[in-house]
Structures are given as C-alpha cells and as structure tokens.
C-alpha cells in the first residue's frame, strides 16, 4: 500500500492554491435537483422515475462504516458483502444481476468490464467521507446512458465547496483494530464557486476471519459559476486498495478446505470536467468529459472440490481505461415544453494477463486485449399536457464499432391530484448491455459471438401525502424481463447467451415526520424471480426484505439514529455444500452524535448492535457487534 504522506501533501498543495485564489462567501445552496436518469434535471416530485435520494443529513445521521451498509436501507436494493469489506460486494436492483446497474461518481461510470462478474463496480473502494448525496434510479436507463443500465443507475455526487475556508480532521477507532482517518479542506472560490478535497486512510481491521481491507484515497471537486450563466465543475478521485478474503464459493472461514485467501490490490483513478452554459433565452448548452482507469492485481489459491468441481489456483493483472465525452443542447422555455438533444462518444480499452493452474507447475494463460468505441445520439422531451399531467420521454441510438447498433427508449408519466397530495406515476423502458471484455475475450472461456443482454421494464406507483405533510407514502409495482443473459456452459466450456429471467414485485416506502425532533422511515420490498424454462434459482436474492430508521434530535447538540434491517431466507450455493437456504436475519445499527462545540464533535456508532449471528453467503459469518468511536474538529469556517 502507498503511504498517505504523498496524498496529504497533494491535498495541502491543492487547497493552498485554491484558497489563495479567493476567499469570498459562497451563495446559499439552491434547491437540490435530481440529475440522474434525465438530462432535464428537476426536483424529485417533478420526475416520473422511481427514485431514492440519500442526502448528506441521511449519511451523517446513519454514520455507516461503508457505502454497502448505507445502501442496504434502499427499497428494491439488495446488497451483500460476505467476508467483510475485503470480500466482493454485490448490488442487486429489483432482482437483476450485480452488473446490471450502472454505478457513477459525479456522472462518471466506474463499472469494470474486465472482471469475472461481467462489469460490476467494487463498492469497497468508495469512501463515504467525500459523498454529498446518492441518487438511485430504478428501471432500464439505456435511453439516457446507453449500454449497461439494465436494472438502473446509482450516481454518487461528491461534496462541493463551503461558505468559508475551513479544514476538518477526524480520527475514528473501533473493535477488531478498525482505524479511519480523514483530512478535509473546503471553501469558496469567488462569489459563486467552491472547492472541497478529502484525504482518507482506512484499515477495516479483521471483523471476519481471513478478511482485511486497507484503503487510501483522495477526492476533490472545484466548482465555479461565472458570468453569463456559465457553470464549471472539475472533479477527480484516486483510490489505492488492498483486500484479503476467502474466495467466493469456497465456504468461507467456516467451510473452506484450502485455508489461504484471495489477495487483491487495485488502484482507481478518475478525472472529469463538466459545464453548463445558460444563454439569455431558453437555451442551455452542457457537457462532460471524463477519464477512468482501474488497475487490478488479483491472486487466488483456488477452491478445493466438494459437492461441485473445485476452482484451480488463478490470478490476473488487468487494466481498464475509459474515456467519455458528451455534449447536449437543451431548450427549456417557461411554458409547458422542454427538450434536449445530444451526442456522446465513449472508448473503452481492457486488457488482462492471467493464468489458471490446471496441475502443479502447469499453468494455462488467460489473456485478452480488447477495445471498443461507442457513438451515441440521444434526445429527451418533457411536456406538461395539463397543469397536473406530465409526459417524459427519451430515445437513444448507440453504434458500437464491434456490435450491432441499438435503439432504446423510455417513457414516463406523472399525474398530480388533490392539490399535489396524490401523485400517480408510470414508466416503461428498454435497456441493453454489451458483453464484458472478460466474457468476450478471455482466452479460456471467452466467446466473441455473444449477443448483448437486454431488458424491458414497466412500473406503476403512487406517492401519497397524509396528515398534512407529516407522512409520505410511496408504493410501486414493477415487472422486468431480462433476455440473452450471459452464463458459463460447463459442457461447451465457454460463455453463452442462455437464460431469460423475469422479476416482479412491490416496493413500499414510508416517511413520517413525528415532530421537529423525531422522524421515522420504513421500507419493504417483495421480489419474485423466475428463470424461464428452468427450476434453477438465482443466488443471494431474498423474496422479502425491509427495515426502518429512527432519527431523534435529543437536544440541539445530541442526535440518535437507529436502523433496523430484515432480510428473508435466501438461496445460496458453495462448492463444499451445493445449493442451500440461508436463514433470515435482523440487523440493528445505531449511532449517537454529540456536537460538543461549534468546532468539536464526537460520535459513537455500533454496527450489528444485537450481535446477530447470520450469513450473507454460505460459510461467511457476518461480523460481530463492533463499536466505532470518532472525534472531529473543524478549523476556520
């Protein structure tokens, strides 16, 4: 692992340059708009999409140790990470595969088509310290983002500038040798801009046998709002991680025959810039350019045979580079009609150099070196048919250089009743996902003739406000069809398009503002999954899941937050056992925050407060109860 000395030096240098530029107060924050799932950003109550937003107040009140723990409380979203933070995290949105959700950071896609999971994102590399809010949009979004968005999109928006120049230091320590440190600098730039930079060092300790995770990262954002309606944002992120955990399907620390663990070292680097230019009329021009690079060095001892054939020792050194440029022009007059059209270009370069040890001293190479270019043209229209009836449609054409062109669309409608207290919404859309580089090109199992995976989805829902504005109820019914799913065929010993999967269910969310100091929220999701023409079951996706959250401002300086999660019985499979059903479980997390002075604050978080004994995957016990204590001090401001 690289030391954090260079990171902190770079952070201080950046902050010093930016702070010297300007020190005026920033303008007050404007109303927050949802920017995910649409090019015509708007407030959540003006968009027909099925959306969840986790803002900074949610993130700080919950004080979770990781992004995976935070996302567990989102309706329709099942998150698993067996083996602690060192293990592989999977995010299943409405029953879809982990690689069916596009994960973005400030609009930059960070999915990795080099990995064996078909293009998922390693959530463990993202620190919550830099996060301002997270937007989750359910349903196919290929009409907006092109390939990969079969189930939905998760977009992480990082912190911008502050009202005054300040520096924050935080130290956190916990059970199982947990350590976490933060240095953050932020402040204004000119009248309407700002900057924020965070340097983080994390050692997750050893919460589960064989599991360990270390992370050093730095993230920053610079925003400037200039004359004549021009807004500019520049952002970047670097993460250096080192993970250890028992291999997937091995049976974990409880059942694994081979007692060695997987070792993975990875670096993530992204850099981007976006602009928005509002002209004097109703026209607006905007765009984003980004670069993402991931280097991943992986070594596994393999899995001994059991009920199923084992996995031989293997390793891979892979590198992904992705460059994207997108431009659009929007016409947003004061009337009922708004539209945007645009063009984007994406280039992906993926390469891997690996091996599989088929016998002692005998290794077969697993390599690929692929690239692809995708040109996309898109358009979006929003039209208020009546004052209380809105239509929203998107259409996109993508032309990859190595596959057939794709045209996908989506349409949604929003109907407001009872002076806005009742809102009906409906969405239909299609999505596609190009095969990953691993599925196409791996020299042992790759198949260059694979077809893109596809999805079609419909959802209908109601948003209802009760008892004034103190209670908000959301209920959504959804149905998804996933086709041409890529799977490994053991008889042919190659990847093939085979399965078709149907998922359907219901999501319920409830928010209750009891009074000025107490708020309650709850969620429940039922998902029925059917693999067509097969009796097989998909792993780690329960029928039922739900939970609740209590936030209580005890006094002006004291805040308590308690979260409860329930996950139903779940089917899973491992090489030592074959398919089995894991027991349902409850989990409670709690956080107590004390703002001792304007500058000094303390927090005590307890993960798995009731010390629940459960497994998210066969043989991988969840971490026991763990307390984390943190102290934070702010200079300046």
């Amino acid at each position: 692992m690289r030391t954090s000395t260079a990171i902190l030096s770079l952070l201080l240098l950046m902050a010093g340059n930016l702070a010297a530029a300007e020190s005026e107060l920033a303008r007050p924050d404007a109303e927050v708009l949802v920017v995910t799932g649409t090019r015509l950003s708007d407030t959540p109550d003006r968009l027909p999409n099925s959306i969840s937003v986790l803002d900074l107040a949610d993130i700080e009140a919950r004080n979770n140790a990781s992004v995976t723990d935070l996302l567990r409380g989102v309706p329709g979203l099942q998150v698993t990470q067996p083996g602690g933070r060192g293990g592989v995290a999977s995010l299943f949105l409405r029953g879809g595969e982990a690689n069916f959700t596009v994960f973005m950071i400030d609009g930059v896609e960070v999915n990795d088509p080099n990995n064996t999971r078909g293009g998922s994102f390693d959530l463990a590399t993202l620190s919550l310290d830099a996060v301002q809010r997270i937007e989750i949009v359910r349903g196919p979004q290929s009409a907006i983002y092109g390939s990969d968005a079969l189930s939905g999109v998760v977009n992480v928006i990082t912190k911008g500038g502050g009202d005054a120049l300040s520096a924050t230091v935080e130290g956190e320590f916990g059970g199982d040798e947990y350590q976490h440190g933060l240095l953050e600098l932020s402040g204004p730039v000119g009248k309407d801009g700002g900057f924020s930079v965070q340097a983080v060092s994390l050692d997750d300790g050893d919460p589960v046998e064989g599991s360990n995770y270390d992370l050093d990262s730095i993230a920053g954002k610079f925003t400037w709002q200039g004359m004549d309606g021009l807004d500019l944002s520049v952002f970047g992120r670097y993460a250096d991680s080192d993970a250890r955990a028992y291999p997937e399907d091995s049976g974990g620390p409880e059942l694994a025959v081979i007692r060695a663990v997987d070792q993975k070292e990875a670096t993530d680097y992204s850099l981007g810039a976006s602009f928005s230019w509002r002209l004097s009329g109703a026209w607006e021009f905007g765009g984003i350019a980004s670069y993402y690079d991931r280097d991943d060095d992986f070594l596994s001892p393999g899995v001994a045979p059991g009920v199923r054939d084992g996995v031989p020792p293997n390793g891979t050194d892979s590198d992904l580079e992705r460059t994207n440029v997108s431009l659009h022009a929007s016409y947003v007059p004061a009337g009922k009609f708004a539209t945007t059209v645009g063009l984007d270009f994406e280039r992906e370069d993926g390469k891997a150099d690996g091996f599989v040890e088929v016998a002692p001293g005998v290794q077969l190479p697993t390599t690929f070196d692929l690239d692809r270019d995708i040109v996309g043209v898109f358009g979006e229209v929003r039209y208020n048919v009546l004052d209380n009836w809105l239509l929203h449609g998107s259409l996109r054409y993508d032309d990859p250089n190595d596959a057939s062109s794709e045209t996908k669309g989506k349409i949604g409608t929003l109907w407001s009743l009872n002076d806005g207290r009742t809102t009906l919404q409906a969405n239909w859309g299609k999505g596609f996902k190009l095969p990953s580089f691993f599925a196409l090109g791996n020299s042992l199992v790759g198949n260059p003739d694979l077809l893109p995976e596809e999805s079609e989805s419909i959802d209908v829902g109601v948003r209802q406000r009760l008892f004034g504005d103190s209670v908000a109820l959301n209920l959504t019914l959804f149905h998804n069809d996933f086709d041409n799913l890529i799977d490994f065929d053991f008889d042919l010993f190659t990847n093939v398009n085979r399965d078709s999967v149907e998922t359907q269910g219901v999501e319920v969310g409830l928010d209750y503002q009891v009074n000025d100091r107490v708020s309650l929220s709850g969620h429940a999701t039922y998902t029925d999954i059917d693999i067509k023409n097969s009796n097989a079951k998909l792993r780690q996706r329960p029928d039922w899941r739900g939970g609740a959250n209590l936030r209580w401002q005890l006094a002006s300086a004291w805040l308590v937050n308690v979260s409860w999660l329930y996950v139903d019985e779940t089917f899973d499979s491992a090489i030592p056992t074959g398919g089995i059903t894991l027991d349902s479980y409850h989990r409670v997390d709690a956080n107590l925050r004390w703002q001792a002075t304007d500058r000094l604050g303390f927090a005590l978080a307890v993960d798995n407060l009731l010390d629940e004994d459960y497994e998210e995957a066969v043989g991988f016990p969840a971490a026991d109860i763990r307390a984390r204590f943190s102290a934070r001090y702010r200079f300046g401001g």
Side-chain angles (χ1 to χ4, degrees), residues 564-587:
W564 164 69
L565 176 70
Y566 168 76
V567 177
D568 197 7
E569 292 181 346
T570 307
F571 173 79
D572 196 25
S573 178
I575 288 174
T577 63
I580 63 173
T581 298
L582 302 177
D583 292 337
S584 62
Y585 64 88
H586 302 261
R587 171 171 167 153

Side-chain angles (χ1 to χ4, degrees), residues 102 120 192 455 480 521 542:
V102 168
S120 59
D192 302 318
S455 69
N480 299 318
S521 62

Side-chain angles (χ1 to χ4, degrees), residues 466-493:
L466 303 167
F467 309 110
D469 288 333
S470 62
V471 176
L473 172 68
N474 293 286
L475 186 148
T476 304
L477 303 174
F478 63 88
H479 179 97
N480 299 318
D481 282 307
F482 300 103
D483 294 310
N484 294 333
L485 301 193
I486 295 172
D487 194 10
F488 180 71
D489 189 305
F490 285 92
D491 294 331
L492 299 176
F493 206 76

Side-chain angles (χ1 to χ4, degrees), residues 315-635:
T316 305
D317 184 4
S318 69
D319 179 45
L320 169 73
E321 294 183 74
R322 179 185 292 115
T323 304
N324 181 274
V325 178
S326 178
L327 297 171
H328 69 270
S330 300
Y331 179 65
V332 189
K336 297 183 175 182
F337 175 80
T339 187
T340 185
V341 294
L343 172 73
D344 66 26
F345 170 80
E346 180 176 275
R347 179 177 181 84
E348 291 182 321
D349 292 276
K351 60 185 67 175
D353 184 9
F355 72 91
V356 172
E357 188 175 279
V358 295
V362 180
Q363 295 183 349
L364 297 180
T366 58
T367 62
F368 58 81
D369 188 350
L370 299 174
D371 61 72
R372 60 185 168 212
D373 298 336
I374 308 173
V375 177
V377 181
F378 56 85
E380 188 173 352
V381 174
R382 183 176 64 212
Y383 180 61
N384 283 90
V385 182
L386 300 171
D387 290 341
N388 64 339
W389 182 20
L390 177 145
L391 292 175
H392 202 133
S394 305
L395 187 68
R396 180 182 173 109
Y397 171 82
D398 283 285
D399 186 18
N401 69 327
D402 62 348
S404 300
S405 61
E406 297 278 351
T407 301
K408 301 299 180 186
K410 75 168 188 173
I411 187 168
T413 184
L414 201 66
W415 188 20
S416 179
L417 303 169
N418 302 328
D419 296 325
R421 297 172 61 80
T422 304
T423 304
L424 305 178
Q425 67 183 65
N427 292 280
W428 169 89
K430 285 191 170 184
F432 79 100
K433 181 185 182 302
L434 295 172
S436 69
F437 288 148
F438 176 87
L440 287 169
N442 182 276
S443 55
L444 283 185
V445 300
N447 180 356
D449 297 323
L450 290 171
L451 299 173
E453 297 167 291
E454 297 190 337
S455 69
E456 182 174 3
S457 172
I458 185 170
D459 65 52
V460 294
V462 59
R463 310 173 192 168
Q464 180 68 56
R465 292 194 175 274
L466 303 167
F467 309 110
D469 288 333
S470 62
V471 176
L473 172 68
N474 293 286
L475 186 148
T476 304
L477 303 174
F478 63 88
H479 179 97
N480 299 318
D481 282 307
F482 300 103
D483 294 310
N484 294 333
L485 301 193
I486 295 172
D487 194 10
F488 180 71
D489 189 305
F490 285 92
D491 294 331
L492 299 176
F493 206 76
T494 189
N495 294 309
V496 297
N497 292 104
R498 179 162 54 196
D499 294 329
S500 294
V501 173
E502 177 182 88
T503 74
Q504 55 190 349
V506 58
E507 300 157 348
V508 180
L510 178 70
D511 295 296
Y512 177 28
Q513 189 67 44
V514 180
N515 54 44
D516 292 341
R517 293 182 176 273
V518 179
S519 64
L520 288 168
S521 62
H523 65 93
T525 303
Y526 172 75
T527 307
D528 178 66
I529 302 175
D530 178 33
I531 303 177
K532 299 177 183 178
N533 303 315
S534 173
N535 293 323
K537 296 181 180 180
L538 295 183
R539 299 170 54 187
Q540 299 180 0
R541 272 156 274 194
D543 291 345
W544 284 97
R545 65 185 306 277
N549 189 82
L550 167 67
R551 189 185 306 176
W552 184 11
Q553 190 80 47
L554 291 170
S556 59
W558 292 87
L559 176 68
V560 172
N561 195 93
V562 180
S563 299
W564 164 69
L565 176 70
Y566 168 76
V567 177
D568 197 7
E569 292 181 346
T570 307
F571 173 79
D572 196 25
S573 178
I575 288 174
T577 63
I580 63 173
T581 298
L582 302 177
D583 292 337
S584 62
Y585 64 88
H586 302 261
R587 171 171 167 153
V588 176
D589 298 321
N591 180 53
L592 173 64
R593 185 179 295 276
W594 175 38
Q595 193 65 39
T597 70
D598 290 342
R599 299 182 181 278
L600 178 63
F602 301 94
L604 174 63
V606 184
D607 306 322
N608 194 9
L609 177 66
L610 303 182
D611 203 18
E612 180 85 351
D613 183 12
Y614 66 94
E615 295 180 353
E616 289 187 319
V618 176
F620 286 88
D624 297 334
I625 181 174
R626 176 166 73 174
R628 296 177 285 113
F629 176 77
S630 63
R632 174 179 290 209
Y633 190 83
R634 178 172 55 86
F635 299 87

Side-chain angles (χ1 to χ4, degrees), residues 66-371:
S66 66
V67 175
T68 53
D69 286 343
L70 177 67
L71 292 177
R72 294 178 199 275
V74 175
L77 192 58
Q78 169 68 7
V79 182
T80 65
Q81 192 169 30
R85 196 161 179 170
V88 177
S90 299
L91 186 154
F92 306 109
L93 186 54
R94 288 184 170 174
E97 295 293 335
N99 61 338
F100 287 0
T101 298
V102 168
F103 206 99
M104 301 190 301
I105 302 175
D106 288 319
V108 178
E109 182 180 350
V110 288
N111 296 61
D112 181 9
N114 284 353
N115 63 38
T116 59
R117 302 175 69 81
S120 59
F121 168 63
D122 184 3
L123 278 72
T125 65
L126 179 61
S127 168
L128 278 171
D129 295 291
V131 177
Q132 178 76 25
R133 73 181 190 274
I134 301 177
E135 299 178 352
I136 302 101
V137 182
R138 303 167 186 82
Q141 303 297 318
S142 289
I144 304 294
Y145 300 110
S147 177
D148 298 348
L150 291 180
S151 291
V153 176
V154 176
N155 188 19
V156 173
I157 293 93
T158 60
K159 294 177 180 177
D163 293 338
L165 181 63
S166 67
T168 300
V169 292
E170 180 177 1
E172 184 178 29
F173 303 90
D176 305 311
E177 301 182 359
Y178 174 92
Q179 300 178 51
H180 164 230
L182 164 70
L183 172 60
E184 178 176 78
L185 300 174
S186 66
V189 176
K191 291 183 178 180
D192 302 318
F195 76 94
S196 180
V197 187
Q198 302 82 29
V200 176
S201 183
L202 169 74
D203 182 346
D204 196 48
D206 52 357
V208 178
E209 180 189 341
S211 175
N212 184 259
Y213 188 82
D214 294 325
L215 173 69
D216 290 330
S217 70
I218 182 169
K221 180 184 284 186
F222 169 88
T223 61
W224 179 69
Q225 298 176 341
M227 62 184 68
D228 299 325
L230 178 63
D231 296 348
L232 175 67
S233 178
V234 179
F235 42 88
R237 171 177 168 268
Y238 174 82
D240 182 2
S241 61
D242 188 343
R244 302 286 189 273
Y246 280 96
E248 283 188 279
D249 299 341
S250 68
E254 300 290 336
L255 301 172
V257 175
I258 300 174
R259 303 309 292 178
V261 297
D262 286 350
Q263 304 176 50
K264 182 171 67 174
E265 296 181 1
T267 58
D268 286 71
Y269 173 76
S270 62
L271 182 65
S274 64
F275 79 95
S276 174
W277 185 21
R278 298 179 301 277
L279 302 184
S280 57
W283 286 96
E284 178 181 321
F285 294 92
I288 183 171
S290 65
Y291 172 79
Y292 175 66
D293 181 279
R294 177 175 173 84
D295 291 315
D296 196 331
D297 190 359
F298 174 77
L299 183 64
S300 175
V303 182
V307 174
R308 294 172 14 215
D309 291 339
V311 177
N314 62 94
T316 305
D317 184 4
S318 69
D319 179 45
L320 169 73
E321 294 183 74
R322 179 185 292 115
T323 304
N324 181 274
V325 178
S326 178
L327 297 171
H328 69 270
S330 300
Y331 179 65
V332 189
K336 297 183 175 182
F337 175 80
T339 187
T340 185
V341 294
L343 172 73
D344 66 26
F345 170 80
E346 180 176 275
R347 179 177 181 84
E348 291 182 321
D349 292 276
K351 60 185 67 175
D353 184 9
F355 72 91
V356 172
E357 188 175 279
V358 295
V362 180
Q363 295 183 349
L364 297 180
T366 58
T367 62
F368 58 81
D369 188 350
L370 299 174
D371 61 72

